[in-house]
Amino acid sequence: MDGLLPQLEIGIEELKKWRNEESLHFLFPQFLNSSFSQFFLEIGFGGGEHLAHQAALHPDTGLIGCEPYINGIGDLLKKIEAQSLANIRIFPHDARLLIEQLPDACLDKVFILYPDPWPKARHHKRRLISTAFLSALARVMKQGAALQLATDDAGYCAWMLEHLLAHPDFTWTAQQSTDWLNPPPDWIPTRYEQKALAGRPSYLHYIRL
Ligand SMILES: C[S@@+](CC[C@H](N)C(=O)[O-])C[C@H]1O[C@@H](n2cnc3c(N)ncnc32)[C@H](O)[C@@H]1O
């Protein structure tokens, strides 16, 4: 945490310079002369299993992980060090603060895997997925960019489907039930998925129109 996090952390102050940038290359200055061909964002990476997996699978991609949970950040740092991953930056705060400051149309893929379900009706307003949040996300996603969601909470699954169906900027790619019952081909089970499966997971894949 003392050695690696300061090198990888995206600070709140740094955020304020971003809105005028045209791509996210500036976030990975060590690669400015090379060719990061795409940029991914994972919101709420938990212990970082999936983020580290994607970083290793896509060395040509710059990844930003958002997670305020300090133990999870520590777990991700261990993976980054052990696997010598050089394409991850960490925003250790609420992802919504980051999204507000990102340039338009800068992301190729966004992952939101097992967001906190807040199952009680009086807590639904705390759910990350909302119309306002989807609009903010749509602004920073490129045309044709992917939004990969997962949840094992049937109520939150219905909530996601309802909010995304009503949103003009996203379309669901599913053609048949296996498309939401089976994980995508480059999937690795997250810690939440392994530990807490309360119900059957759904994997929802959307495209930014
Ligand atoms: C149920 S856990 C799932 C973690 C991980 N995706 C997994 O599947 O193992 C939800 C995570 O989202 C994080 N989280 C909740 N709200 C967030 C927000 N606004 N921005 C970033 N992360 C958030 C929480 O700290 C928590 O680690």
Side-chain angles (χ1 to χ4, degrees):
M1 295 295 283
D2 291 342
L4 195 50
L5 184 58
Q7 296 171 39
L8 303 182
E9 177 173 355
I10 298 166
I12 297 266
E13 281 308 308
E14 192 183 344
L15 275 178
K16 296 181 183 158
K17 306 177 205 151
W18 288 11
R19 279 300 278 267
N20 299 327
E21 297 284 346
E22 287 186 1
S23 101
L24 295 183
H25 280 102
F26 69 96
L27 266 184
F28 299 87
Q30 69 274 40
F31 292 105
L32 266 182
N33 295 323
S34 79
S35 51
F36 267 3
S37 55
Q38 44 183 6
F39 296 96
F40 293 175
L41 169 67
E42 182 165 343
I43 299 175
F45 60 71
E49 304 76 24
H50 179 267
L51 186 60
H53 174 70
Q54 289 292 333
L57 267 185
H58 303 287
D60 62 336
T61 299
L63 294 100
I64 307 174
C66 297
E67 177 55 70
Y69 170 54
I70 197 81
N71 291 352
I73 295 169
D75 288 344
L76 174 65
L77 290 172
K78 284 186 220 157
K79 294 177 180 77
I80 290 174
E81 197 166 54
Q83 299 175 51
S84 303
L85 298 171
N87 51 345
I88 295 181
R89 294 225 37 204
I90 299 172
F91 185 69
H93 309 283
D94 186 325
R96 288 168 287 202
L97 297 173
L98 174 113
I99 291 165
E100 270 173 24
Q101 300 299 334
L102 285 176
D104 291 351
C106 62
L107 294 171
D108 295 274
K109 193 158 186 177
V110 177
F111 300 96
I112 309 176
L113 309 179
Y114 301 99
D116 297 311
W118 297 110
K120 292 183 183 157
R122 70 175 186 278
H123 292 151
H124 283 178
K125 57 183 178 296
R126 297 187 192 179
R127 287 177 167 172
L128 187 62
I129 304 296
S130 69
T131 303
F133 174 76
L134 291 174
S135 297
L137 209 49
R139 181 187 68 76
V140 298
M141 292 173 70
K142 295 179 185 170
Q143 196 177 2
L147 171 62
Q148 178 66 56
L149 305 171
T151 181
D152 65 333
D153 183 281
Y156 204 3
C157 183
W159 174 280
M160 287 173 175
L161 289 166
E162 185 186 329
H163 281 78
L164 277 142
L165 184 65
H167 202 288
D169 292 335
F170 293 94
T171 186
W172 191 21
T173 62
Q175 301 290 324
Q176 54 202 359
S177 60
T178 48
D179 293 337
W180 68 83
L181 293 174
N182 295 331
D186 61 353
W187 188 259
I188 185 172
T190 68
R191 181 159 57 181
Y192 179 87
E193 182 172 288
Q194 286 168 320
K195 272 181 21 185
L197 281 181
R200 179 158 193 155
S202 298
Y203 307 92
L204 307 179
H205 185 264
Y206 288 84
I207 294 291
R208 164 72 168 98
L209 293 170

